[in-house]
Amino acid sequence: DVKVTQSSRYLVKRTGEKVFLECVQDMDHENMFWYRQDPGLGLRLIYFSYDVKMKEKGDIPEGYSVSREKKERFSLILESASTNQTSMYLCASSPLTGGYGYTFGSGTRLTVV
Amino acid sequence: EDKVVQSPLSLVVHEGDTVTLNCSYEVTNFRSLLWYKQEKKAPTFLFMLTSSGIEKKSGRLSSILDKKELFSILNITATQTGDSAIYLCAVTPSGTYKYIFGTGTRLKVLA
């Protein structure tokens, strides 16, 4: 069964901490994405990557960075966590030509206190 | 600016009812529209609609795409409590494989 795995289901961090959210896919997909999901705002794209070591900003990249050193792994980094980054974070992947849209991970619910 | 608008934001029905969820969009050079169902975890794929596939059906769920009027509907007949979820609509323009999502419709089906 194909999978996108996010390392943590729930995470609680303190303001100012550096936070790493990990995402691994086993489908050999080229494209990987990080979204955050907030009530009333839907899913908003933070960053995406079409290839190893390649990244592009999405709609709300401020306060975030990403790393893609291997094809299967896409990491989201919160450089200095703030309370307004409390959210559900969803990782997704898709083949280079889009295929049937995304395969999503189960999400990480991050709370910054 | 590309955008996707879903309505209603939330809906409560009783088992056996039929529901219609709406998704309208404005996007440059439309390529495809997807519907997802999200329960407590990862959104799961329901349908993809494109210029060459404007109507899809799977069991009690069906969806149509109106490219002229720029909207799609997701229909669920004979609803069950297991249909309770957030339903997400997403659209992608040509030349990219990133999707633009609507806010979702939260459906609750009461026994």
Side-chain angles (χ1 to χ4, degrees):
Chain A
D1 194 19
V2 294
K3 250 193 214 174
V4 177
T5 303
Q6 293 183 230
S7 54
S8 304
R9 187 85 177 98
Y10 298 96
L11 213 50
V12 179
K13 295 292 181 180
R14 293 193 181 280
T15 301
E17 276 193 78
K18 190 168 187 175
V19 182
F20 293 86
L21 302 183
E22 305 288 344
C23 176
V24 177
Q25 50 98 1
D26 65 1
M27 295 165 285
D28 202 34
H29 283 171
E30 288 79 11
N31 305 331
M32 295 188 76
F33 306 83
W34 275 107
Y35 285 83
R36 63 178 282 178
Q37 184 177 25
D38 300 288
L41 297 176
L43 274 72
R44 294 178 292 165
L45 181 63
I46 305 171
Y47 267 98
F48 60 103
S49 169
Y50 289 151
D51 200 355
V52 175
K53 295 193 186 293
M54 175 274 174
K55 60 186 178 185
E56 286 194 32
K57 292 180 180 179
D59 300 316
I60 52 163
E62 297 79 19
Y64 303 95
S65 62
V66 290
S67 170
R68 193 163 181 201
E69 297 296 320
K70 294 185 178 181
K71 189 176 184 180
E72 66 271 18
R73 186 181 296 270
F74 192 36
S75 302
L76 180 69
I77 303 153
L78 285 67
E79 298 291 342
S80 177
S82 64
T83 55
N84 63 13
Q85 292 178 310
T86 292
S87 186
M88 169 68 86
Y89 290 87
L90 287 166
C91 175
S93 72
S94 72
L96 184 65
T97 54
Y100 282 91
Y102 297 158
T103 301
F104 281 94
S106 295
T108 295
R109 185 164 293 281
L110 172 67
T111 302
V112 182
V113 297
Chain B
E1 184 186 332
D2 297 335
K3 66 178 181 181
V4 177
V5 178
Q6 290 186 247
S7 63
L9 289 181
S10 65
L11 192 55
V12 180
V13 300
H14 288 90
E15 270 192 318
D17 288 349
T18 293
V19 298
T20 298
L21 310 182
N22 303 292
C23 175
S24 64
Y25 62 90
E26 294 175 25
V27 66
T28 308
N29 297 324
F30 169 88
R31 185 168 67 85
S32 63
L33 182 146
L34 271 70
W35 283 98
Y36 286 88
K37 177 183 181 181
Q38 184 180 23
E39 296 172 89
K40 292 197 181 297
K41 40 187 183 176
T44 54
F45 172 82
L46 293 175
F47 298 118
M48 172 182 267
L49 299 150
T50 65
S51 301
S52 56
I54 59 172
E55 190 167 345
K56 295 286 174 77
K57 183 174 170 62
S58 175
R60 297 178 295 102
L61 276 66
S62 62
S63 183
I64 63 168
L65 173 70
D66 187 325
K67 276 199 68 183
K68 184 179 175 186
E69 300 297 330
L70 307 183
F71 75 87
S72 174
I73 63 169
L74 176 68
N75 236 57
I76 309 174
T77 59
T79 51
Q80 303 170 355
T81 54
D83 296 325
S84 296
I86 297 173
Y87 289 85
L88 299 168
C89 173
V91 172
T92 190
S94 61
T96 178
Y97 295 102
K98 59 176 180 171
Y99 281 85
I100 303 157
F101 284 82
T103 53
T105 293
R106 183 180 293 274
L107 173 66
K108 183 162 183 150
V109 182
L110 302 175

